[in-house]
């Protein structure tokens, strides 16, 4: 059978250190795999995708997204992290039906693809029931995105009792839905919130994930009033290179030494962390300890859904931290650091490595899957293309991305998502959002606030969990 061949033309940013940037280059794809990258490949029997003087690059990799929250867009614009946890997440999560979870995950994944995100880690703490979990997996498959479905092993309402046996359901869904690791959607495990459950439970969850070959991930160190729990996780044997720690704003030097010793991966989510008061980004500490930064979108209930936007925020913040000591001395920076090329690695190859997919995606390397974006040269916002890498990091927004391929299949073409009845989906999304918010209002009206005694006992409860 003749292979399906696609030839993509443009200024090729490979993100492969051996190939670099190829001006006026070509990428040859055969049956979804990158067959060759170079100039004038001499191919005349392939479907041609021409960037018209624009840029061809790897799709970006999002290492932390609560994809289900799409219906809640804009609801958290002025919330602190504490308000988000206590007044939004705790109320919104139990108000989602399985159908709501499917719809939010589907539209959220399509939004990611539209913005050039070809791979994401879906931190799915919407697994209220087995039906919710199945619905979210169905949605990722339907969207056509490459994803790690990180099953939420913590309870839906962190302040209430567990709603079902999630360890058992994780094993079920691993057997029923993830018998092969070769598909676009692979299995991950989102561990219980650190300190909100005994460390022994986190250890059991990690062991279960390992048994099923799943990447593990956990929020850590975003609340300054709580201990991070990093040392306790390390002592429990939870930390290793197949763990993605998210946020890590509050980690101390001793924590970072343990994290580096374990070789963990770290996901920074600049838009949510900076806007919700979580404080300094972890990128500078990550770099200082020889780890590799990665970037996450986190929550579209607050911020944007692409990855290049938070990547440029992370780069700006990291440069500011590097410059600040000189500036305080009344001196000027001569050369900024890190570079745009460094930041592009955070959003591509580093992310792919963190998700255990570095051999498949993250760069335009022959033999890898053809997950790529085409930024059209006909757009005002991209021409002239003087420095393709810098322009990717600093100039590209979803509207400039004309084509997105996942495993060689076009999911966006000529600026529009392929095979998607967007009008119908958006009507469904509006209806779902209204119904969820009505349930949330009813739930909030019936809630009894915690007593002063419960609030006062909370730090000791956290300490007890970290010790057990």
């Amino acid at each position: 059978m003749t292979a399906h061949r696609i030839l993509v033309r443009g200024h090729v940013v490979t993100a492969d250190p051996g190939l670099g940037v190829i001006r006026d280059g070509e990428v040859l794809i055969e049956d979804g795999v990158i067959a060759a990258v170079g100039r004038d490949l001499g191919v005349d029997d392939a479907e041609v995708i021409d960037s018209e003087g624009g840029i061809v690059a790897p799709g970006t990799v999002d290492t932390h997204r609560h994809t289900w929250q799409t219906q809640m867009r804009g609801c958290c614009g002025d919330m602190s992290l504490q308000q988000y946890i206590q007044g939004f997440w705790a109320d919104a999560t139990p108000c989602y039906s399985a159908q709501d979870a499917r719809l939010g995950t589907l539209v959220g994944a399509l939004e990611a693809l539209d913005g050039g995100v070809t791979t994401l880690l879906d931190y799915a703490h919407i697994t209220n029931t087995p039906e919710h979990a199945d619905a979210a997996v169905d949605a990722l498959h339907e969207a056509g995105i490459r994803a790690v479905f990180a099953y939420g092993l913590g309870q839906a309402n962190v302040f209430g009792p567990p709603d079902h046996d999630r360890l058992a359901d994780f094993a079920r869904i691993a057997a029923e839905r993830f018998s092969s690791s070769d598909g676009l959607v692979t299995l991950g495990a989102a561990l219980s919130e650190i300190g909100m459950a005994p460390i022994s439970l986190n250890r059991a969850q990690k062991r279960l994930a390992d048994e099923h070959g799943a990447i593990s991930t956990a929020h850590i160190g975003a609340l300054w009033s709580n201990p991070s729990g990093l040392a306790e996780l390390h002592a429990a044997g939870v930390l290793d290179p197949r763990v993605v720690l998210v946020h890590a704003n509050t980690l101390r030097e001793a924590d970072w030494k343990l994290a580096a010793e374990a070789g963990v991966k770290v996901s920074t989510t600049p838009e949510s962390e900076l806007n919700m008061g979580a404080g300094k980004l972890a990128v500078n500490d990550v770099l200082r300890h020889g780890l590799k930064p990665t970037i996450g979108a986190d929550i579209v209930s607050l911020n944007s859904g692409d990855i290049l936007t938070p990547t440029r925020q992370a780069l700006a913040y990291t440069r500011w931290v590097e410059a600040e000591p000189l500036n305080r001395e009344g001196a000027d920076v001569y050369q900024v650091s890190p570079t745009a090329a460094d930041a592009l690695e955070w959003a591509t190859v580093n992310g792919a490595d963190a998700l255990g997919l570095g051999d498949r995606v993250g760069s335009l390397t022959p033999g890898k899957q053809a997950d790529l974006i085409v930024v059209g040269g006909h757009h005002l916002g991209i021409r002239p293309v003087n420095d393709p890498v810098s322009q990717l990091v600093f100039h590209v927004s979803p509207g400039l991305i004309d084509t997105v391929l996942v495993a060689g299949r076009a999911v966006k073409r000529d600026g529009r998502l392929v095979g998607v009845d967007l009008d119908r989906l958006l009507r469904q999304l509006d209806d779902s959002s209204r119904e969820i918010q009505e349930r949330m209002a009813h739930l909030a009206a019936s809630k009894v606030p915690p007593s002063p005694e419960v609030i006062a006992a909370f730090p000791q409860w956290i300490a007890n969990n970290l010790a057990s």
Side-chain angles (χ1 to χ4, degrees):
M1 181 179 294
T2 303
H4 178 219
R5 308 180 93 198
I6 302 172
L7 190 70
V8 188
R9 291 177 173 149
H11 302 303
V12 181
V13 177
T14 69
D16 181 313
L19 296 172
V21 176
I22 304 171
R23 306 283 308 205
D24 299 312
E26 296 178 335
V27 179
L28 177 63
I29 301 165
E30 294 184 349
D31 289 338
V33 176
I34 299 170
V37 181
R39 288 192 184 89
D40 302 321
L41 296 178
V43 176
D44 58 9
D45 62 345
E47 173 190 357
V48 175
I49 299 176
D50 197 325
S51 71
E52 302 177 60
I55 301 170
V56 181
T60 55
V61 179
D62 177 352
T63 54
H64 183 73
R65 181 184 301 240
H66 303 296
T67 318
W68 60 272
Q69 289 191 15
T70 312
Q71 289 98 325
M72 299 291 98
R73 190 183 310 281
C75 290
C76 301
D78 292 322
M79 286 188 184
S80 68
L81 182 57
Q82 287 279 26
Q83 290 171 322
Y84 167 82
I85 294 171
Q86 298 178 28
F88 175 79
W89 175 39
D91 288 348
T93 312
C95 291
Y96 264 65
S97 68
Q99 177 60 20
D100 293 324
R102 186 202 70 83
L103 184 62
T105 302
L106 172 60
V107 180
L110 291 173
E111 177 187 8
L113 288 170
D114 187 58
V117 180
T118 51
T119 301
L120 61 81
L121 185 147
D122 179 19
Y123 198 115
H125 53 4
I126 192 62
T127 49
N128 303 353
T129 67
E131 291 74 24
H132 284 73
D134 283 319
V137 174
D138 289 342
L140 294 172
H141 282 293
E142 184 178 348
I145 198 166
R146 192 181 302 276
V148 174
F149 173 71
Y151 186 108
L153 290 170
Q155 58 223 43
N157 181 349
V158 74
F159 300 108
D163 38 28
H164 66 284
D165 187 343
R166 296 190 180 208
L167 290 175
D169 195 52
F170 178 89
R172 174 199 66 84
I173 207 167
E176 292 181 1
R177 306 298 300 273
F178 295 94
S179 58
S180 170
S181 60
D182 296 332
L184 287 181
V185 183
T186 52
L187 183 61
L191 309 184
S192 291
E193 299 301 317
I194 310 305
M196 300 292 184
I199 285 290
S200 58
L201 177 58
N202 296 129
R203 181 172 58 242
Q205 292 168 343
K206 176 62 165 64
R207 287 176 177 171
L208 181 63
D210 289 345
E211 289 173 12
H212 292 280
I215 289 289
S216 295
T217 186
H219 296 120
I220 196 166
L223 291 172
W224 290 82
S225 56
N226 291 343
S228 72
L230 191 287
E232 289 81 0
L233 287 175
H234 186 272
V238 174
L239 303 183
D240 63 30
R242 289 180 59 79
V243 173
V244 180
L245 298 179
V246 185
H247 306 314
N249 309 81
T250 72
L251 267 58
R252 309 297 185 183
E253 182 65 17
D255 294 328
W256 282 115
K257 288 180 179 178
L258 294 176
E261 176 187 315
V264 300
K265 307 303 191 296
V266 181
S267 177
T268 293
T269 65
E271 289 187 280
S272 60
E273 291 168 27
L274 293 174
N275 281 293
M276 285 186 155
K280 66 182 182 69
L281 303 185
V283 179
N284 300 81
D285 287 324
V286 170
L287 291 169
R288 187 163 52 85
H289 288 88
L291 299 172
K292 295 182 178 181
T294 74
I295 305 296
D298 203 1
I299 49 170
V300 299
S301 54
L302 169 64
N303 49 252
S304 63
D306 69 304
I307 282 299
L308 290 173
T309 296
T311 297
R312 67 178 64 104
Q313 285 195 342
L315 179 58
Y317 177 91
T318 306
R319 287 179 174 181
W320 173 80
V321 170
E322 294 298 311
E324 179 69 357
L326 275 175
N327 296 161
R328 285 184 175 275
E329 294 174 0
D332 295 314
V333 171
Y334 180 74
Q335 184 168 346
V336 295
S337 177
T339 66
D342 294 331
L344 186 62
E345 288 184 358
W346 307 345
T348 55
V349 290
N350 287 7
D353 287 342
L355 302 187
L357 299 172
D359 60 338
R360 302 185 197 181
V361 296
S363 64
L364 301 186
T365 302
K368 287 190 178 183
Q369 296 280 301
D371 290 12
L372 59 79
I373 63 174
V374 178
V375 180
H378 56 279
H379 293 293
L380 289 172
I382 204 64
R383 289 283 284 276
V385 179
N386 296 310
D387 185 328
V389 173
S390 290
Q391 287 173 246
L392 272 172
V393 173
F394 288 110
H395 295 279
V396 172
S397 59
L400 300 184
I401 299 172
D402 288 339
T403 298
V404 178
L405 304 183
V406 177
R409 184 179 75 85
V411 293
K412 183 179 183 180
R413 192 73 188 268
D414 300 323
R416 297 181 63 85
L417 291 169
V418 175
V420 176
D421 186 346
L422 198 57
D423 290 339
R424 179 181 62 84
L425 277 180
L426 293 179
R427 287 194 300 271
Q428 292 177 351
L429 198 71
D430 287 344
D431 291 342
S432 174
S433 177
R434 183 179 60 255
E435 292 166 4
I436 292 167
Q437 292 187 68
E438 288 172 356
R439 294 180 207 127
M440 288 176 64
H442 179 74
L443 178 62
S446 65
K447 283 176 65 174
V448 177
S451 67
E453 292 77 16
V454 168
I455 294 173
F458 189 70
Q460 186 58 53
W461 180 64
I462 294 285
N464 292 341
N465 280 330
L466 291 177
S468 58

